[in-house]
Amino acid sequence: MAKFIGAFLGYLMGGPLFALLGFGVGMMFDRGLKQAMGFNYGAQRERIQGIVFETVFRVMGHVAKADGRVCESEVAQAEAIIAQFGLVGARRDEAISRFKEGIADSFELEPQISDFMLVAKSQPLLRQMLLEALLTMALADGDVDAAERDILLKVAGYIGISARDFQRLLDMAMAQRQFHGRGAGGQQSSASRGNELKAAYQAIGVTEAATDAELKRAYRKLMSQHHPDKLIAKGVPEDMLKLATEKAQEIQAAYELIKNSRKK
């Protein structure tokens, strides 16, 4: 499986040659993972995936209740996020159950994050994935209100992300959201082109003054952070990889817009 994902992402990043390289890297990843880690790693990874899954959806419920109550629109947002993750059947029921646990008055944020940090303390990708999933929930209605922001800032602090870095991730997430569902070759009207180009730079995390080399470096770093093979190896549940894939597509669309603008 990894070899095909590697080929697909390689093609997005650099065309047929990178697709071939991605295929080879994915093949080595599959082979090396089985040989080096074996069954014990599989059991450990399953444990990590369970903790990540329950933390994501419990804290999502807690964020949804940030203002003291859960309204119909927030329930709809949760359903949309669950659908976005591609969860069905028993897995969907489990996500809803965990979400409801996060809504409960008895839910305590710090112990939940403490459990998460037992497996994620040395895994920055897992911590970033948690925050990105929560930001996706908070931004489902287009904005992050003050109560939601307070909880997200608290989560960021618990997992070792500074307020400054949190704001940067939030700004990038808001910008990336503008490219959701858009193909890399999508057309923009001249009236909106300036704003979209500004959002594209923000989505990649660089300024318009960045050189082509700096732009490419930032883009490749983001794509690497959202590579399915890497996330699976770190313990992200496989049925939550759709979020990472969609993030990669948003980043790709933003990058293509910038590249095209620089050719003119």
Side-chain angles (χ1 to χ4, degrees):
M1 176 180 168
K3 54 183 176 287
F4 297 112
I5 295 174
F8 173 70
L9 290 179
Y11 181 81
L12 286 180
M13 293 179 69
L17 178 59
F18 277 76
L20 184 60
L21 291 172
F23 185 88
V25 170
M27 184 179 295
M28 288 189 293
F29 178 89
D30 278 340
R31 186 183 305 147
L33 190 61
K34 290 177 182 177
Q35 292 176 349
M37 300 302 184
F39 175 79
N40 288 338
Y41 174 77
Q44 174 68 0
R45 191 178 69 181
E46 186 175 339
R47 171 178 167 270
I48 294 172
Q49 288 176 340
I51 293 174
V52 172
F53 187 89
E54 69 179 29
T55 300
V56 166
F57 287 100
R58 282 175 177 164
V59 182
M60 274 188 181
H62 189 60
V63 172
K65 198 182 177 182
D67 60 357
R69 65 187 182 86
V70 180
C71 62
E72 291 183 6
S73 64
E74 287 166 331
V75 173
Q77 288 170 27
E79 290 279 5
I81 297 301
I82 290 170
Q84 185 177 342
F85 283 156
L87 304 179
V88 295
R91 197 62 164 166
R92 175 183 178 277
D93 293 341
E94 183 181 355
I96 292 173
S97 177
R98 298 290 177 262
F99 182 84
K100 289 180 178 178
E101 289 170 2
I103 291 173
D105 292 338
S106 59
F107 176 77
E108 296 182 30
L109 179 62
E110 188 171 0
Q112 181 67 56
I113 300 300
S114 294
D115 288 345
F116 172 78
M117 287 299 286
L118 289 176
V119 300
K121 186 175 182 179
S122 61
Q123 303 291 349
L125 282 181
L126 275 183
R127 287 180 275 138
Q128 182 171 319
M129 186 68 178
L130 170 63
L131 203 51
E132 285 188 355
L134 297 177
L135 285 170
T136 298
M137 170 68 191
L139 286 168
D141 61 354
D143 196 14
V144 177
D145 64 35
E148 291 172 336
R149 181 186 173 83
D150 286 345
I151 291 177
L152 292 172
L153 262 173
K154 191 177 294 186
V155 171
Y158 288 155
I159 64 177
I161 295 176
S162 68
R164 180 179 179 181
D165 287 340
F166 167 77
Q167 185 60 51
R168 181 172 178 271
L169 285 172
L170 174 57
D171 291 341
M172 290 175 67
M174 292 180 71
Q176 289 163 3
R177 189 174 179 274
Q178 296 184 43
F179 296 89
H180 182 71
R182 180 185 302 173
Q187 298 295 318
Q188 294 84 33
S189 68
S190 57
S192 62
R193 183 174 179 79
N195 288 335
E196 291 193 332
L197 189 57
K198 181 179 179 181
Y201 278 106
Q202 195 167 47
I204 303 297
V206 298
T207 67
E208 295 183 33
T211 65
D212 288 347
E214 290 170 338
L215 171 65
K216 183 178 289 188
R217 186 160 54 247
Y219 162 71
R220 287 182 173 175
K221 180 179 179 181
L222 287 175
M223 293 297 282
S224 175
Q225 289 173 346
H226 294 87
H227 195 292
D229 289 347
K230 182 175 290 188
L231 293 173
I232 288 174
K234 297 301 183 183
V236 174
E238 293 185 27
D239 52 13
M240 289 177 61
L241 291 178
K242 189 176 179 182
L243 175 64
T245 301
E246 291 184 351
K247 277 284 184 185
Q249 291 171 346
E250 293 166 3
I251 293 163
Q252 172 73 13
Y255 180 66
E256 290 297 329
L257 177 61
I258 296 172
K259 277 206 312 178
N260 291 336
S261 74
R262 291 191 171 198
K263 291 177 182 177
K264 297 179 180 180

